[in-house]
Every structure is written in structure tokens, then in C-alpha cells.
Amino acid sequence: MADLYLKALEAERKSLWAACRLKGLPKGTPERLRIEELDMLLAEHKAKKAGPAK
């Protein structure tokens, strides 16, 4: 089954990253901070999924 939460996070990150690259936004802008937050959420979600192996 598709992980829709993971797909939504990745899509938002990809969209924000493209906008930042296009506009040439420096570090510390709200968009770049959101990308960092999304990276953290993605890592937590992937760790939770891979966590307990039976």
C-alpha cells in the first residue's frame, strides 16, 4: 500500500526546493527552514517504518 504521508512530504519538499533554486533564496528564509523541517520529518517517518523488524 502506498504511504501517502511520505509522498506528500516528499512532494512538498521537492516543490519548495525547486522554488528556492529558481528564486536563489539564501539559507534562513522561511522556505529553506521548512525544507529542513521536512527533512527531519522524513527521517523520523522512515525510521519509524523501519523500526521494529520481526
Side-chain angles (χ1 to χ4, degrees), residues 8-18 35 38-39 42:
L9 289 176
E10 289 173 342
E12 182 182 357
R13 185 189 186 285
K14 184 177 179 182
S15 173
L16 278 172
W17 184 246
I35 290 172
L38 288 170
D39 287 340
L42 284 165

Side-chain angles (χ1 to χ4, degrees), residues 13-32:
R13 185 189 186 285
K14 184 177 179 182
S15 173
L16 278 172
W17 184 246
C20 288
R21 293 284 305 233
L22 183 66
K23 296 176 185 177
L25 296 177
K27 289 184 178 180
T29 58
E31 291 87 352
R32 294 286 294 261

Side-chain angles (χ1 to χ4, degrees), residues 35-52:
I35 290 172
E36 292 175 13
E37 183 182 343
L38 288 170
D39 287 340
M40 184 183 62
L41 290 172
L42 284 165
E44 287 175 1
H45 185 70
K46 287 179 181 179
K48 194 182 304 181
K49 281 186 71 174

